[in-house]
Amino acid sequence: MPAHIRAIHYLNQFFGGVGGEEQANLAAQWLDGPKGPGQLIQSFDPSIDIVGTIVAGDNYMAEHLDAVGTEIIGLIEEHASGREPDLL
Protein backbone atom coordinates (compact mmCIF):
# COMPACT_ATOMS: atom_id res chain seq x y z
CA MET A 1 0.00 0.00 0.00
CA PRO A 2 1.18 3.52 -0.68
CA ALA A 3 2.17 5.83 2.18
CA HIS A 4 -0.86 7.99 1.39
CA ILE A 5 -4.07 5.96 1.04
CA ARG A 6 -7.02 7.20 -1.01
CA ALA A 7 -10.17 5.50 0.22
CA ILE A 8 -13.83 5.26 -0.65
CA HIS A 9 -15.96 4.69 2.44
CA TYR A 10 -19.32 2.87 2.36
CA LEU A 11 -21.98 3.76 4.94
CA ASN A 12 -25.64 2.95 5.34
CA GLN A 13 -28.20 5.75 5.21
CA PHE A 14 -28.12 6.38 8.95
CA PHE A 15 -24.36 6.69 9.41
CA GLY A 16 -24.11 8.58 6.12
CA GLY A 17 -26.37 11.25 7.61
CA VAL A 18 -29.16 11.04 5.04
CA GLY A 19 -31.91 9.64 7.26
CA GLY A 20 -33.21 6.79 9.33
CA GLU A 21 -35.63 4.02 8.46
CA GLU A 22 -37.56 6.35 6.15
CA GLN A 23 -34.49 6.27 3.85
CA ALA A 24 -33.90 2.49 4.03
CA ASN A 25 -34.77 2.16 0.31
CA LEU A 26 -32.29 4.84 -0.78
CA ALA A 27 -30.34 3.80 -3.89
CA ALA A 28 -26.56 3.97 -3.73
CA GLN A 29 -25.25 7.50 -4.09
CA TRP A 30 -21.93 9.32 -3.99
CA LEU A 31 -21.08 12.03 -1.45
CA ASP A 32 -17.78 13.90 -1.76
CA GLY A 33 -15.28 13.47 1.06
CA PRO A 34 -15.68 11.78 4.42
CA LYS A 35 -19.06 11.65 6.12
CA GLY A 36 -20.13 10.48 9.57
CA PRO A 37 -17.57 8.12 11.11
CA GLY A 38 -15.30 8.64 8.08
CA GLN A 39 -14.49 12.10 9.41
CA LEU A 40 -13.25 10.53 12.64
CA ILE A 41 -11.24 7.86 10.80
CA GLN A 42 -9.55 10.49 8.67
CA SER A 43 -8.78 12.68 11.69
CA PHE A 44 -6.99 9.77 13.43
CA ASP A 45 -4.72 9.01 10.49
CA PRO A 46 -3.66 11.86 8.18
CA SER A 47 -2.27 9.35 5.66
CA ILE A 48 -5.88 8.35 4.86
CA ASP A 49 -7.73 10.56 2.40
CA ILE A 50 -11.40 9.58 2.10
CA VAL A 51 -12.12 11.00 -1.34
CA GLY A 52 -15.75 9.96 -1.29
CA THR A 53 -18.46 8.18 0.63
CA ILE A 54 -20.99 5.84 -0.91
CA VAL A 55 -24.27 5.81 0.97
CA ALA A 56 -27.20 3.44 0.45
CA GLY A 57 -30.22 2.31 2.39
CA ASP A 58 -30.09 -0.97 4.26
CA ASN A 59 -33.17 -2.33 2.53
CA TYR A 60 -31.95 -1.22 -0.88
CA MET A 61 -28.65 -3.07 -0.44
CA ALA A 62 -30.36 -6.25 0.77
CA GLU A 63 -32.95 -6.22 -2.03
CA HIS A 64 -30.56 -5.40 -4.92
CA LEU A 65 -27.57 -7.65 -4.24
CA ASP A 66 -27.30 -8.68 -7.90
CA ALA A 67 -26.99 -5.11 -9.20
CA VAL A 68 -25.57 -2.99 -6.40
CA GLY A 69 -21.92 -3.97 -6.97
CA THR A 70 -22.13 -2.71 -10.55
CA GLU A 71 -23.86 0.47 -9.35
CA ILE A 72 -21.11 1.15 -6.81
CA ILE A 73 -18.36 0.58 -9.38
CA GLY A 74 -20.18 3.00 -11.70
CA LEU A 75 -20.33 5.65 -8.97
CA ILE A 76 -16.61 5.27 -8.30
CA GLU A 77 -15.75 5.51 -12.02
CA GLU A 78 -17.95 8.57 -12.42
CA HIS A 79 -16.83 10.52 -9.36
CA ALA A 80 -13.31 9.38 -8.46
CA SER A 81 -11.62 9.92 -11.81
CA GLY A 82 -8.10 11.20 -11.19
CA ARG A 83 -8.22 10.15 -7.56
CA GLU A 84 -8.80 6.43 -7.91
CA PRO A 85 -9.02 4.68 -4.55
CA ASP A 86 -6.46 2.32 -3.09
CA LEU A 87 -9.07 1.00 -0.68
CA LEU A 88 -12.85 0.56 -0.56
Side-chain angles (χ1 to χ4, degrees):
M1 284 255 181
H4 187 80
I5 301 169
R6 284 182 309 276
I8 306 290
H9 194 197
Y10 169 79
L11 296 169
N12 72 3
Q13 81 280 359
F14 178 77
F15 289 106
V18 296
E21 286 303 311
E22 75 281 0
Q23 293 293 329
N25 292 311
L26 179 75
Q29 60 180 270
W30 175 273
L31 303 174
D32 282 325
K35 303 297 179 210
Q39 295 169 318
L40 186 60
I41 291 169
Q42 191 167 280
S43 73
F44 283 143
D45 189 343
S47 71
I48 297 174
D49 180 20
I50 298 176
V51 298
T53 303
I54 294 175
V55 176
D58 291 329
N59 292 351
Y60 184 85
M61 292 295 285
E63 294 169 3
H64 296 90
L65 288 176
D66 292 340
V68 78
T70 302
E71 291 176 32
I72 289 172
I73 289 169
L75 287 170
I76 292 169
E77 290 174 344
E78 179 181 350
H79 295 281
S81 180
R83 47 189 184 150
E84 286 77 11
D86 301 304
L87 177 68
L88 173 61

